[in-house]
Amino acid sequence: METRGIEDMFDFRRFPKQAALLLLLLIYSPVGICLMLIRIFVGLHVFLISCALPEGFIRRFIVRIMCSVLGLHVRQKNPRSRDKNTKLYICNHVTEFDHNVINLLTPCNTPQLEGSTGFVCWARGFMEIHSTASQAAMKECLQRYCCTDGTAPLLLFPEEGTTNGRVGLLKFSSWPFSLTESIQPVALRVTRPLISLNTPESSWLMELFWTFFAPCTVYHVSWLPPVSRQEGESSQEFANKVQELLAVELGLISTKMTKADKAEHIKRQRHSVPQRAASVTPVRLGFKVQSLTTDDHRLAKMATQVKDVLPHVPLNVITKDLAKTNCIDTTITNLLEIKEDTQLEAAEIATSGASKGGSHSSASAPTIKPAAKSFGKTPVDRHLSFQERKEAMYNFARRRYIEKHGLDQDD
């Protein structure tokens, strides 16, 4: 297996980056909105017809023709390779409607492993599992289903999450391969013009609306010959072998990225946006800060409040500290401590120079005077004096801030 950058396997942008495609999408948008409204109306009829007609070839044929009106076009390759005795189909996962599309070609059931149950689960074409208290109970329930005669094959997606279908496959989970000794691999490739097939944090309902908006979505289903487990082969080794077969068929990379890696990547992407916004340097005009994001407006307002309390501190220094602390009181304390450290260092230099250089050093020393009545002779005394002066300056700054903004003293 090969490890590839996980950011290439998902599309976080719904629209293309190229200017020409964006212009084309803008021109198409009125047509797409009209198509979406019409297809919503037709989709309700497709749902009613699929519920009214009994399971069989006629129902699948009619629904497939009507799905073409909805923009869902299905093409299959090597249909003769499909084994009617196989009880488990293994497929890669690209969109939220993969199981519906494959069900148009052959009867199969996909269990709902997570998400809504009840009517929504049934309406989306999933098979609801009642014994889902644990993964062991779920596996036992599905094993019994596969051993039951006359049942439709199971369709499972061992990636357990969708990708953009262009770069690689997520690592296959091993538990689906422990259900039966023989499986039928199904390679799925999906294409759509102008807009992405999916985005990681979008709901299935939003994906349905975008599917209706798009000109068309073409599903290419390729049936691979059945694969059986070899003697002494573990479930994970069996899963890796099938993953490699599907990757070769699709021309993709077989990665070690798991569903958990995808969730972690989505979390990082979600938090990286405000961090990038906070890193934008504000533009200062006088005492007014102009910015391009909401976080910059908030940071500029906080910087102005600190500037009112500490007018001698440059605004860029305040903004830099606020970006780290994100707290007005903490920033004021930090800036006061910086000032006190500078004053203490200067006072120590002045005292040392006076003791060594006599009147000449005293004349050239800084004119900084400590708040204490006399400068401490020992480091302990000077530290106590520093703490007292820092506390006094902090209380003064706090009172000035409270009086300026009309806050309650107790708060």
Side-chain angles (χ1 to χ4, degrees), residues 151-184:
T151 56
L154 278 179
L155 172 63
L156 296 179
F157 303 97
E159 288 181 288
E160 299 182 336
T162 59
T163 64
N164 57 23
R166 297 193 307 270
V167 177
L169 302 178
L170 293 175
K171 184 178 180 180
F172 280 13
S173 180
S174 61
W175 71 264
F177 298 86
S178 63
L179 301 180
T180 62
E181 295 297 320
S182 178
I183 61 99
Q184 175 99 54

Side-chain angles (χ1 to χ4, degrees), residues 62-361:
I62 295 176
V63 174
R64 183 176 176 181
I65 295 299
M66 297 187 71
C67 284
S68 299
V69 180
L70 300 178
L72 299 174
H73 302 276
V74 185
R75 301 174 183 175
Q76 63 175 332
K77 179 182 177 183
N78 301 327
R80 295 183 179 180
S81 299
R82 186 169 67 246
D83 187 1
K84 296 182 179 179
N85 297 322
T86 303
K87 285 292 188 177
L88 180 59
Y89 297 152
I90 295 296
C91 183
N92 59 301
H93 205 2
V94 183
T95 71
E96 296 291 340
F97 314 105
D98 295 344
H99 64 288
N100 302 108
V101 170
I102 296 178
N103 200 21
L104 295 176
L105 304 175
T106 182
C108 58
N109 290 319
T110 303
Q112 174 75 318
L113 304 180
E114 58 184 18
S116 303
T117 58
F119 175 78
V120 176
C121 174
W122 171 79
R124 292 186 61 193
F126 285 108
M127 179 181 67
E128 187 173 356
I129 303 177
H130 299 286
S131 301
T132 55
S134 63
Q135 189 176 26
M138 178 188 64
K139 288 172 57 177
E140 183 180 356
C141 178
L142 294 179
Q143 282 177 340
R144 288 198 306 267
Y145 177 89
C146 292
C147 295
T148 304
D149 295 334
T151 56
L154 278 179
L155 172 63
L156 296 179
F157 303 97
E159 288 181 288
E160 299 182 336
T162 59
T163 64
N164 57 23
R166 297 193 307 270
V167 177
L169 302 178
L170 293 175
K171 184 178 180 180
F172 280 13
S173 180
S174 61
W175 71 264
F177 298 86
S178 63
L179 301 180
T180 62
E181 295 297 320
S182 178
I183 61 99
Q184 175 99 54
V186 183
L188 179 64
R189 182 183 292 106
V190 189
T191 57
R192 177 189 294 170
L194 298 180
I195 60 177
S196 301
L197 293 170
N198 64 73
T199 53
E201 296 188 291
S202 180
S203 65
W204 70 268
L205 189 59
M206 186 60 65
E207 293 295 341
L208 181 62
F209 289 149
W210 282 111
T211 302
F212 290 164
F213 174 85
C216 63
T217 305
V218 183
Y219 289 80
H220 304 266
V221 180
S222 180
W223 300 91
L224 277 66
V227 181
S228 300
R229 185 201 304 268
Q230 301 296 324
E231 185 178 355
E233 191 175 37
S234 65
S235 297
Q236 188 59 61
E237 292 173 345
F238 191 21
N240 295 340
K241 181 173 67 176
V242 176
Q243 182 179 356
E244 290 289 347
L245 291 175
L246 288 177
V248 171
E249 176 66 22
L250 295 169
L252 305 180
I253 297 174
S254 183
T255 72
K256 298 181 180 179
M257 306 295 179
T258 62
K259 178 184 177 182
D261 295 325
K262 175 185 176 181
E264 182 64 26
H265 179 64
I266 294 173
K267 186 185 300 183
R268 288 198 302 268
Q269 286 291 120
R270 189 187 304 121
H271 292 295
S272 65
V273 175
Q275 289 178 0
R276 287 195 298 266
S279 64
V280 178
T281 304
V283 181
R284 182 166 63 89
L285 298 176
F287 289 151
K288 295 182 181 180
V289 180
Q290 297 179 348
S291 59
L292 301 177
T293 63
T294 304
D295 286 346
D296 289 335
H297 283 295
R298 182 178 56 82
L299 197 65
K301 183 177 180 182
M302 295 167 62
T304 304
Q305 293 175 352
V306 176
K307 183 71 175 179
D308 293 339
V309 179
L310 303 174
H312 60 282
V313 180
L315 195 59
N316 61 336
V317 177
I318 296 175
T319 304
K320 183 177 180 180
D321 193 88
L322 280 173
K324 299 178 180 179
T325 63
N326 199 29
C327 178
I328 294 177
D329 289 340
T330 305
T331 295
I332 292 176
T333 303
N334 293 342
L335 297 178
L336 288 174
E337 288 178 353
I338 293 174
K339 180 180 178 181
E340 287 296 325
D341 291 340
T342 304
Q343 290 181 348
L344 179 59
E345 183 179 359
E348 289 178 346
I349 293 174
T351 304
S352 176
S355 61
K356 292 182 180 181
S359 60
H360 177 73
S361 299

